[in-house]
Amino acid sequence: MSESTHKILLIGVAGFIGSSTALRLLAGGHQVRILDSFDPQIHGEDLKKSATLRKVWEGAEVQVGDARDPVAVDRALRGVDTVYYFAAGTGTGQSMYQVRQYTDVNVNAAAVLAEQLIQKKAEIQRVVVSSSRAVYGEGAYRCAQHGPVFPKTRSVDAMQQGRFEPVCPVCGLAVEAAASSEGDPVQPTSIYGITKYAQEQVVLNLCAAMGITAVALRYQNVFGPGQSLRNPYTGILSIFSQLLLEKRQINVFEDGLATRDFVYIDDVVEFNLRAGLHAVAGGSVLNVGTGKRQTLLDVVAALADAYGREADFKVSGQFRIGDIRHAAADGTNLREVLGGHAFVGFGQGIKAFAGWVQSEETDRALAQGYLRSLTEMSASGLLKGAR
Ligand SMILES: NC(=O)c1ccc[n+]([C@@H]2O[C@H](COP(=O)([O-])OP(=O)(O)OC[C@H]3O[C@@H](n4cnc5c(N)ncnc54)[C@H](O)[C@@H]3O)[C@@H](O)[C@H]2O)c1
């Protein structure tokens, strides 16, 4: 495929990762069409507030529609050769009580795309689907006695007693966190993770059957300029930023030592472009992450430093059912299939993110919405604390 001649549809593109990817594709001279329902939980009511979205709007053909609507997807796919599929509900905690909504958006929409691909198999050459590290659940660990192990969901009883680390599923002793590889067992701990796996597999399975090259990218925690400053259900960097800037106390869950692999938006966009436009074998599933871990306390400290503020935080011992303890990507396959890349460092990324947040009109409703989301979780019995 020549890079200059692609007609590309991006579904769920008005969000964080999609809009940044669309901008890079537009800059590369591709013809870009976008389909999005413009979910107000993510975008607020005033879509034109986002500078990235305004630029996408100027350069792309915009279609407003729901990814679950076969008529909208059929119209959007016409004349297209490459599809990026980002649309999803993305709140891990929210997925645990809005189970039908998450299943509907994340799985049924993938089924709609799959059925439409059958009709358009002669035209579509490549599909890139956004998946998540959530499919691994607690992920990979190493036990001194039993080698590589994959602990299942952590025990609520243990967490209520302040024991947050997963244990060896064979001997019950302490284990050391390791990076997750694509061949590791799939054992999601949240409805979000379950639906992301189903979404990924529906697309990969159908594309394989139709002879369409498909790539699923399992992102770790993506961050950077452009992430939603309005969605209270996902994105701790936005939520912590808002609390810090409003001088409100940050509730740090567990003991503050849970870790995540934060991958900067520009790095994710780079791999999205490579997955969509470079030669790859069909049916690839690839992790996208740096392989490095930051604790929640590291995150609070880095944000406080970037904003030049003292952080008011409390390590509360509270925990959300469905959350995992540690995450990091093994990037061996990513490098082999899509090539090497120097990732933006966490500190550098945080500085760029904080600079962007301060240049944006932030939304005081975010902190309020976040507190409401915790009340919703608590009412559903999904936010717990020490007994
Ligand atoms: N941001 C991360 O850290 C991260 C990590 C792992 C995986 N992912 C995956 O990457 C993808 C993009 O994530 P993001 O952070 O950009 O999310 P986002 O919430 O910013 O954007 C999602 C977009 O999908 C749209 N959408 C939702 N439901 C829709 C529907 N029914 N029809 C049409 N459009 C719909 C929303 O309006 C929004 O524009 C998602 O599939 C997500 O699961 C994200």
Side-chain angles (χ1 to χ4, degrees):
M1 292 196 291
S2 134
E3 280 215 15
S4 56
T5 55
H6 290 288
K7 293 187 180 161
I8 302 173
L9 170 67
L10 300 99
I11 304 175
V13 69
F16 173 37
I17 303 173
S19 56
S20 305
T21 306
L23 274 188
R24 273 281 299 275
L25 290 168
L26 284 167
H30 300 284
Q31 281 183 46
V32 173
R33 180 182 296 152
I34 71 173
L35 174 68
D36 201 292
S37 60
F38 297 95
D39 184 344
Q41 175 174 306
I42 299 154
H43 305 288
E45 298 299 337
D46 182 3
L47 297 175
K48 299 282 159 88
K49 261 189 185 167
S50 155
T52 315
L53 208 46
R54 276 201 305 274
K55 281 188 219 149
V56 173
W57 215 291
E58 278 159 26
E61 180 192 338
V62 181
Q63 295 190 0
V64 181
D66 198 296
R68 292 165 292 182
D69 175 3
V71 176
V73 177
D74 168 49
R75 192 179 57 226
L77 279 170
R78 284 181 202 161
V80 158
D81 58 57
T82 303
V83 179
Y84 282 91
Y85 181 48
F86 300 102
T90 61
T92 304
Q94 192 179 35
S95 77
M96 299 298 287
Y97 54 96
Q98 293 195 358
V99 181
R100 278 175 299 164
Q101 170 71 8
Y102 271 74
T103 308
D104 194 28
V105 171
N106 295 0
V107 186
N108 282 349
V112 167
L113 176 64
E115 288 185 359
Q116 291 297 324
L117 288 175
I118 297 172
Q119 315 299 323
K120 313 256 181 342
K121 57 183 176 294
E123 298 143 50
I124 310 288
Q125 294 166 34
R126 177 84 53 99
V127 179
V128 180
V129 56
S130 295
S131 187
S132 169
R133 70 80 45 218
V135 305
Y136 300 117
E138 291 292 352
Y141 287 78
R142 171 161 282 281
C143 170
Q145 280 198 31
H146 298 101
V149 289
F150 304 93
K152 297 226 163 70
T153 311
R154 292 176 290 164
S155 132
V156 171
D157 266 0
M159 290 199 280
Q160 284 183 320
Q161 290 160 34
R163 287 185 281 116
F164 296 109
E165 292 293 337
V167 292
C168 174
V170 186
C171 63
L173 294 178
V175 284
E176 198 184 323
S180 290
S181 302
E182 294 83 348
D184 287 353
V186 167
Q187 42 187 31
T189 56
S190 65
I191 299 297
Y192 172 69
I194 292 169
T195 60
K196 287 303 291 181
Y197 186 64
Q199 184 183 62
E200 163 201 297
Q201 291 298 312
V202 166
V203 173
L204 291 178
N205 178 289
L206 201 282
C207 285
M210 293 298 121
I212 299 169
T213 301
V215 184
L217 297 176
R218 292 179 177 168
Y219 308 132
Q220 296 279 330
N221 277 56
V222 186
F223 79 107
Q227 74 180 68
S228 177
L229 297 174
R230 291 174 187 86
N231 188 352
Y233 294 94
T234 185
I236 60 160
L237 292 183
S238 296
I239 292 163
F240 283 8
S241 291
Q242 194 62 29
L243 292 168
L244 249 162
L245 294 171
E246 286 182 25
K247 300 193 173 122
R248 297 170 84 143
Q249 190 174 65
I250 298 173
N251 175 351
V252 179
F253 288 155
E254 304 190 7
D255 55 1
L257 299 178
T259 61
R260 296 291 182 271
D261 177 347
F262 289 97
V263 54
Y264 194 64
I265 182 65
D266 292 1
D267 298 329
V268 170
V269 169
E270 174 63 27
F271 283 111
N272 283 344
L273 261 71
R274 292 186 194 180
L277 305 174
H278 295 188
V280 287
S284 304
V285 177
L286 299 168
N287 289 334
V288 180
T290 67
K292 300 199 170 95
R293 283 195 291 268
Q294 314 294 332
T295 68
L296 289 189
L297 292 176
D298 292 337
V299 169
V300 173
L303 286 172
D305 181 49
Y307 293 117
R309 303 237 169 157
E310 189 93 357
D312 175 12
F313 66 94
K314 179 178 163 204
V315 177
S316 68
Q318 287 186 305
F319 56 94
R320 299 187 309 179
I321 307 291
D323 259 356
I324 54 109
R325 180 69 173 167
H326 298 295
D330 181 324
T332 311
N333 289 334
L334 183 72
R335 280 192 295 280
E336 266 172 25
V337 177
L338 295 181
H341 177 70
F343 286 94
V344 172
F346 180 65
Q348 188 190 342
I350 285 285
K351 289 221 155 58
F353 169 71
W356 169 76
V357 170
Q358 285 170 309
S359 73
E360 285 286 294
E361 203 183 306
T362 54
D363 197 337
R364 291 181 72 83
L366 176 65
Q368 217 46 52
Y370 175 61
L371 297 176
R372 192 183 59 240
S373 79
L374 298 186
T375 310
E376 285 170 14
M377 290 210 73
S378 195
S380 312
L382 295 163
L383 176 67
K384 294 187 182 295
R387 228 192 337 218

